Amino acid sequence: MLSYLALAISGLCIAYAVHTYRCFNANLAAAKQSGIPYISMPIYTFNRAWLITHRLWMPLLQLLPDSWTNLWIDYLLPDFLWTKLYTPFRDIGSDVFLLVAPGANTLYVADPEAISQITTRRNDFPKPIWMYASVDIYGKSVVSTEGANWRHHRKITSPPFTEKNNHLVWQESVHQANSMVASMVSPDVERSGSVWDVAAQAMRLSLHVISKAGFGVRLPWPHEEVETKIPEGHTLSYKDALSSLLENIIVVMLTPTWLLGRSPLKIHKAANESFLEWGKYMRELYEQKKAELQTGESRDGMDLMGALVKGAGITGETNGHADPEKAASPGSKQLLTDDEIFGNAFVFILAGHETAANTIHFAMMLLAMHPQSQRRLQKDLDDILGDRPSSEWDYDEDVPKLFGSMCGAVMNEELRLIPPVVGIPKMSTAGRPQGLQLGGKHVTVPADCSVTLDTVALHRNPKYWPHTSEDDLLDFRPERWLVDGGTHPPHQHSDHEAHSTEDDHLDFDDGPDKRPDTAPSLFRPAKGAYIPFSDGYRSCLGRRFAQVEILAVLAVVFKTWSIELCVGLTMSDEELEKADEEVRRSAWEQADKRARELLRTGMMTIITIQMRKGKVPMRFVKRGSERFDYAV
Ligand code: HEM
């Protein structure tokens, strides 16, 4: 009996090995015909099994002779995009290359020309939506659909993202930024203590902005909290349901709903409670919007749920119980199912808060590491905002100026260095190889090939960025965006290009903002060279929303405060007070070195890239009382 079993297992292993070998050979043949440089490796890494178990296998693979593995071993690590940056492209001498593996080929792209073609040929290079299945915890959404279905979602979800509603985003962001600062430092002290959790505070701020601007629910900061009663029929307040859901989001995403509800594990119970509770709050909001629609009431503001209900064509007659099969078909009464409405509401929260929060957190950290850039930012803020209190700042007058000043430059530079999505996934369709024109040469992307738009490499590609040395491109230097009239470096986006891109074909009624990513007075990267918000058809719906939020927070924080790296790990305040300039400088340099090391080695992507293996403490210091004003 046992020998039969052993035989069967050996047979299966041999069949699997033969199948793997055949697939690898087919993929290798396609790569050879593509005209694109390639590297072969034995494992396909875009699968959950590898992501979960790679830590077990890597030490074993590292035991193999260097000469067998040195070409490919680094590419087995899930975060290699961040650790290797532009190096693979430089080493291989091409801004596109293929990794050939048994599971599939993967094309890595740091070439603007290729990116423009890929992002505008939506049907040739669709999104691999299987990768987004885990965000569908409530239902499908604009993020997780493709083809006609996606167009349908996008058409319904785009209308609230208007310039008019960005006024509201601005007001709420200014309000929330003031509250965030108040939660970290008292207005009448010269400097705060060490603030270790700037990332968490930025996350809270961003969540509050999307919650109020998008869903009309203003969330309090701990220091503002008035006792709130949990509404009848709920076990958690709205705020606790949402924050617990986001805290447990990976558990919710990776655990099947049936198991989440039945599992005795504490973590599953907490995740399930928040999942059900937030869903209940969304249903109540949905019912309220439906009732408003029936009575013809309309609300001012962004009102994302109202827009979803309205866009889905929900009337009293359908009563919200659409047949999911028919929901997406033209002519049916409800154009999105209830689940899809909740699915979209959820991804707005998810897509809308973590990305912007990371940008705010890293911008503060990088400015603390670059005091001279901080001073330049503050000078521009003074010039634009004068002595007016933040309650008198005006969206129409001030935001365009901020966008075109050092404030915009800081935001752009942070998003150049640490775009929250380090690799934007696409694919070529099965059975259809796709041609690309690159520098006058034709290459062929194999059929059924994974495609990664490598944003972190692209944003450091020396051909497309003003720089003084290769190291300069790795560093935070927002001043590179400030151009003197007429002295534009090569490969810059001309104004003509900026306004006549293929994006113009994305003509949804009232659709997304089509303006270029950066202000006309700043350096304009070549088309396809700067894509923190992706590009083309599937570009970020919340781009302008995020930019307005980030500019507001930078303005509020740096108008009154400076942010310094905390040197407390090396010396106390008293010791610092007595220290001479050399000792002070050395303490600061150690803090700067630690921050740089964490940026290099402590980053990891789960949903977006974040610093996960340590924290960089900072201090808020009243302007004029700075102690470290070094040019780096
Ligand atoms: C700094 C902030 C942000 C960055 C860097 C960013 C970046 C991106 C990127 C790279 C994509 C494409 C993802 C992909 O193709 O897989 C995307 C899509 C999207 N983003 Fe953002 N995002 C930001 C803020 C926001 C905000 C504030 C919202 C909403 C309030 C939002 C809503 C969306 C949506 C709905 C999509 C899907 C669009 C589609 O597929 O048609 N994002 N974003």
Side-chain angles (χ1 to χ4, degrees):
M1 178 66 192
L2 264 180
S3 59
Y4 279 128
L5 194 64
L7 210 63
I9 292 174
S10 318
L12 280 176
C13 289
I14 291 168
Y16 181 72
V18 170
H19 173 73
T20 306
Y21 180 71
R22 281 200 175 147
C23 291
F24 179 76
N25 268 345
N27 292 340
L28 186 61
K32 282 182 177 164
Q33 283 167 14
S34 69
I36 301 170
Y38 63 86
I39 295 170
S40 302
M41 60 182 204
I43 296 164
Y44 179 60
T45 55
F46 274 97
N47 63 70
R48 263 190 205 173
W50 178 255
L51 286 180
I52 294 167
T53 62
H54 72 275
R55 274 183 234 272
L56 292 176
W57 310 117
M58 284 307 288
L60 299 178
L61 289 166
Q62 273 152 356
L63 295 177
L64 295 172
D66 224 30
S67 56
W68 294 10
T69 60
N70 65 355
L71 281 180
W72 48 266
I73 196 149
D74 289 349
Y75 301 113
L76 295 179
L77 290 169
D79 275 308
F80 88 79
L81 296 184
W82 180 255
T83 50
K84 296 198 70 88
L85 302 171
Y86 185 68
T87 326
F89 299 91
R90 199 189 45 216
D91 290 352
I92 212 164
S94 165
D95 288 340
V96 291
F97 71 92
L98 281 164
L99 280 185
V100 178
N105 287 336
T106 307
L107 180 73
Y108 289 88
V109 190
D111 179 305
E113 201 185 351
I115 284 173
S116 292
Q117 294 168 64
I118 291 168
T119 53
T120 49
R121 284 163 53 188
R122 185 162 63 82
N123 296 325
D124 297 339
F125 294 100
K127 202 165 162 172
I129 52 172
W130 60 268
M131 285 175 103
Y132 296 78
S134 51
V135 302
D136 292 340
I137 59 172
Y138 291 100
K140 291 256 164 231
S141 69
V142 63
V143 170
S144 64
T145 44
E146 247 307 337
N149 219 348
W150 164 77
R151 273 190 75 81
H152 179 69
H153 277 266
R154 179 103 178 185
K155 199 163 185 157
I156 291 175
T157 52
S158 301
F161 290 88
T162 58
E163 224 9 45
K164 186 166 162 255
N165 284 336
N166 286 331
H167 285 73
L168 188 71
V169 176
W170 168 253
Q171 280 160 17
E172 192 56 24
S173 304
V174 169
H175 169 83
Q176 292 293 344
N178 277 309
S179 296
M180 177 183 78
V181 172
S183 79
M184 295 194 272
V185 54
S186 153
D188 34 63
V189 299
E190 198 167 76
R191 60 177 59 91
S192 71
S194 314
V195 184
W196 280 87
D197 59 351
V198 180
Q201 302 294 354
M203 206 63 95
R204 188 190 287 261
L205 171 139
S206 223
L207 191 59
H208 287 196
V209 172
I210 180 78
S211 201
K212 173 70 174 121
F215 296 93
V217 183
R218 179 168 273 173
L219 299 171
W221 287 76
H223 68 280
E224 300 169 340
E225 208 142 2
V226 278
E227 213 192 318
T228 43
K229 267 179 70 189
I230 297 174
E232 218 180 286
H234 286 276
T235 55
L236 295 175
S237 67
Y238 175 86
K239 180 176 94 57
D240 289 343
L242 182 55
S243 45
S244 163
L245 177 62
L246 294 171
E247 247 165 56
N248 294 306
I249 193 64
I250 299 302
V251 180
V252 178
M253 281 175 167
L254 296 182
T255 319
T257 319
W258 62 265
L259 178 61
L260 208 57
R262 289 180 178 83
S263 164
L265 296 180
K266 216 167 153 191
I267 188 161
H268 282 158
K269 281 189 188 302
N272 191 48
E273 183 183 24
S274 59
F275 168 70
L276 294 176
E277 279 290 300
W278 195 73
K280 248 195 238 173
Y281 279 110
M282 280 299 107
R283 172 150 305 271
E284 284 163 13
L285 190 60
Y286 166 75
E287 295 298 341
Q288 182 193 330
K289 294 294 155 194
K290 252 180 12 188
E292 284 174 11
L293 213 70
Q294 279 166 354
T295 55
E297 242 179 271
S298 81
R299 280 185 185 243
D300 275 352
M302 196 162 187
D303 194 10
L304 284 173
M305 180 60 91
L308 287 171
V309 172
K310 218 183 281 175
I314 293 167
T315 64
E317 281 163 68
T318 62
N319 213 19
H321 296 294
D323 175 354
E325 290 293 309
K326 292 184 193 153
S329 65
S332 69
K333 283 187 181 151
Q334 186 170 330
L335 301 173
L336 286 183
T337 64
D338 288 6
D339 285 351
E340 288 170 330
I341 290 177
F342 301 142
N344 277 299
F346 175 68
V347 297
F348 281 137
I349 295 265
L350 194 67
H353 95 285
E354 195 170 299
T355 43
N358 293 349
T359 311
I360 292 164
H361 166 224
F362 288 123
M364 289 196 203
M365 183 193 301
L366 290 164
L367 284 166
M369 294 162 68
H370 294 83
Q372 292 294 305
S373 299
Q374 206 177 132
R375 298 297 91 76
R376 173 73 205 255
L377 165 66
Q378 287 165 329
K379 182 188 169 303
D380 278 14
L381 291 176
D382 290 347
D383 289 348
I384 296 166
L385 302 166
D387 293 331
R388 286 174 292 147
S390 61
S391 55
E392 287 174 22
W393 296 353
D394 179 69
Y395 179 86
D396 294 315
E397 192 194 324
D398 297 321
V399 174
K401 290 185 194 155
L402 291 172
F403 198 34
S405 72
M406 184 68 170
C407 202
V410 165
M411 172 174 71
N412 295 346
E413 180 72 347
E414 192 289 329
L415 284 166
R416 180 186 75 81
L417 275 184
I418 317 177
V421 186
V422 296
I424 299 172
K426 304 276 178 194
M427 60 188 282
S428 62
T429 42
R432 283 177 33 212
Q434 295 297 335
L436 287 179
Q437 286 303 122
L438 300 182
K441 192 177 144 209
H442 182 88
V443 298
T444 307
V445 180
D448 215 0
C449 178
S450 299
V451 176
T452 296
L453 310 184
D454 188 338
T455 52
V456 281
L458 175 75
H459 292 177
R460 289 162 176 82
N461 187 332
K463 296 183 203 82
Y464 301 95
W465 296 95
H467 61 286
T468 51
S469 66
E470 282 217 359
D471 277 354
D472 173 58
L473 274 181
L474 304 180
D475 206 1
F476 176 76
R477 192 168 61 81
E479 293 80 0
R480 86 179 75 245
W481 292 83
L482 306 174
V483 282
D484 309 312
T487 56
H488 300 317
H491 296 295
Q492 180 159 358
H493 211 320
S494 71
D495 250 13
H496 168 72
E497 272 179 294
H499 296 291
S500 61
T501 67
E502 293 207 40
D503 284 13
D504 291 351
H505 300 299
L506 305 170
D507 54 354
F508 292 123
D509 316 332
D510 260 343
D513 197 305
K514 288 167 204 149
R515 277 171 292 186
D517 277 350
T518 61
S521 56
L522 298 183
F523 169 66
R524 281 266 170 90
K527 175 91 188 114
Y530 181 60
I531 56 163
F533 297 98
S534 190
D535 206 356
Y537 288 93
R538 300 296 301 248
S539 68
C540 176
L541 205 48
R543 170 166 63 91
R544 184 76 180 160
F545 181 122
Q547 288 173 329
V548 168
E549 176 181 334
I550 295 160
L551 292 176
V553 178
L554 290 176
V556 167
V557 172
F558 290 97
K559 185 74 183 68
T560 312
W561 299 93
S562 291
I563 296 189
E564 291 186 343
L565 287 177
C566 178
V567 298
L569 294 175
T570 323
M571 58 172 60
S572 68
D573 266 357
E574 294 73 44
E575 286 168 325
L576 194 70
E577 217 50 60
K578 290 185 206 134
D580 64 21
E581 185 45 34
E582 201 180 321
V583 174
R584 273 167 191 251
R585 179 148 193 143
S586 148
W588 186 86
E589 279 170 358
Q590 281 186 49
D592 180 61
K593 193 169 160 217
R594 181 176 173 275
R596 281 172 195 269
E597 186 58 18
L598 275 173
L599 276 172
R600 218 170 50 79
T601 59
M603 306 282 276
M604 202 173 121
T605 289
I606 294 185
I607 295 174
T608 56
I609 192 154
Q610 290 178 342
M611 189 172 276
R612 295 184 182 273
K613 296 181 192 156
K615 290 178 181 172
V616 175
M618 294 174 231
R619 291 181 86 165
F620 285 67
V621 179
K622 269 272 161 63
R623 280 182 65 188
S625 305
E626 296 86 359
R627 293 174 298 183
F628 313 107
D629 233 352
Y630 307 124
V632 187

